[in-house]
Amino acid sequence: MTSEITLFVNPTAGRGRGAHAAQPAARAFRDAGVTVRTVLGRNADDALRRAREAVEGGTGALVAVGGDGMVSLALQAVAGTGTPLGVIPVGTGNDFARCLGLPLRDPAEAGRVAAEAFTGGGGRTVDLGRVEQPRAAAAGGPAHRWFGTVLASGFDSRVNDRGNRMRLPAGRFRYDLAILAELAAFRPAPYRLTLDDGAETRVEATLVAVGNGTSYGGGMRICADARLDDGLLDVTVVGDCSRTELIRVFPRVYRGTHLDHPKITVHRVRSLTLDAHGITGYADGEPLGPLPLTVHCVPGALRVLAPQTPPQVPR
């Protein structure tokens, strides 16, 4: 393994924390005897192009400094290549880092953990989700997209749609306001789910979340029992809850204790297709486009610069 790594930096992450976080992260690697290069991009497409060039050029690791959006970009560059991914989490969500048990909003410590994993053997292997994108491919775009945490659809993706249209406020408050606004217009949607064995399930659902990891939205443990290394996706189906019941259950999602609710069903699958009219899919917080979408778990698709033992979060 080469002794050079590439810092992949989003300087605007976490209201400007990304630019400051790059310095202590780089220092941690240099203190471990590792050469550090830094990659910035004018925009997402340019940043991804530069990250892929670094991977193709043989960098020893790509280390994303930012939030889940930056991690999502980095995944498109390193998935399936054998090049390890490090994460210095300084965004507003940081769910992939949370799933890996990495220090949050402490770039010096996160850099130390990543450098230790890099010099100690290259970290550990985890699974990724892969979403097939035939429409995008037909238009000249990527044939698939990788994700590390959760693919969201339904109520939660509608919240994302609304939040993305809002200019104020910033951060988590925007998401909370979008939740309140969507609750006012809430209604379940008819879904068609095709699981591993090809059997089609039709269900009226508030939302369907597909988890490679446990959480989205900054710690909402919608797929609380998902594991990053079991070769399976956890599919959380929230049925036709009333608005009142949804409000009652919602706080339990942060503790991961909602899965025993009678309106919630969990499936464990290697692949699935989900379809519902007028619903957008989001993966790692990034828009994928309208359903239907086909999703696969790809075992061992990524090496991560993270502790060897996955975190055990109490329920």
Side-chain angles (χ1 to χ4, degrees):
M1 179 183 292
T2 179
S3 61
E4 178 187 271
I5 65 97
T6 301
L7 282 186
F8 186 42
V9 182
N10 178 2
T12 65
R15 304 179 192 177
R17 286 192 296 268
H20 298 292
Q23 298 173 19
R27 189 178 308 118
F29 277 97
R30 292 187 179 113
D31 288 347
V34 179
T35 302
V36 178
R37 294 178 59 245
T38 300
V39 166
L40 299 170
R42 295 186 301 273
N43 50 47
D45 289 341
D46 183 57
L48 178 56
R49 179 184 62 79
R50 291 169 184 263
R52 283 178 167 151
E53 287 175 352
V55 171
E56 292 166 2
T59 188
L62 187 68
V63 180
V65 183
D68 285 327
M70 200 63 174
V71 171
S72 178
L73 270 183
L75 288 179
Q76 313 316 309
V78 299
T81 68
T83 301
L85 173 67
V87 180
I88 310 299
V90 290
T92 54
N94 303 318
D95 284 290
F96 192 59
R98 186 177 281 106
C99 291
L100 293 171
L102 296 174
L104 304 181
R105 298 189 181 88
D106 186 346
E109 180 62 12
R112 186 196 65 77
V113 169
E116 183 176 274
F118 179 74
T119 58
R124 65 186 176 96
T125 301
V126 298
D127 309 333
L128 289 177
R130 188 183 69 205
V131 185
E132 305 305 326
Q133 300 187 126
R135 295 176 185 174
H144 57 261
R145 186 171 183 88
W146 299 94
F147 70 95
T149 55
V150 176
L151 186 156
S153 73
F155 176 77
D156 40 11
S157 64
R158 286 170 171 162
V159 168
N160 269 321
D161 287 340
R162 183 178 291 271
N164 290 339
R165 294 193 299 267
M166 296 168 63
R167 300 189 65 181
L168 293 172
R172 282 294 308 277
F173 291 113
R174 179 188 302 174
Y175 190 82
D176 292 340
L177 282 179
I179 287 174
L180 293 175
E182 280 302 315
L183 278 171
F186 166 76
R187 64 173 59 88
Y191 272 82
R192 295 193 304 275
L193 307 178
T194 305
L195 307 180
D196 282 329
D197 59 7
E200 185 179 277
T201 299
R202 292 176 179 261
V203 60
E204 290 283 326
T206 300
L207 65 88
V208 178
V210 182
N212 180 58
T214 57
S215 70
Y216 61 3
M220 295 167 56
R221 299 178 63 211
I222 188 68
C223 299
D225 292 337
R227 290 175 55 92
L228 288 173
D229 58 359
D230 64 355
L232 297 171
L233 301 166
D234 279 32
V235 184
T236 301
V237 180
V238 179
D240 57 343
C241 292
S242 67
R243 186 181 291 108
T244 301
E245 190 67 13
L246 188 60
I247 293 170
R248 185 180 300 120
V249 172
F250 179 76
R252 296 174 57 186
V253 176
Y254 285 95
R255 301 189 299 274
T257 59
H258 59 293
L259 296 181
D260 59 359
H261 190 278
K263 291 286 188 178
I264 296 178
T265 306
V266 177
H267 306 274
R268 286 197 171 89
V269 301
R270 290 179 175 82
S271 64
L272 78 155
T273 298
L274 62 163
D275 191 10
H277 178 70
I279 301 293
T280 302
Y282 282 76
D284 291 341
E286 301 298 312
L288 296 169
L291 305 188
L293 292 170
T294 297
V295 191
H296 303 276
C297 181
V298 182
L302 178 70
R303 290 197 66 79
V304 287
L305 301 181
Q308 288 290 337
T309 303
Q312 297 297 316
V313 182
R315 289 280 301 276

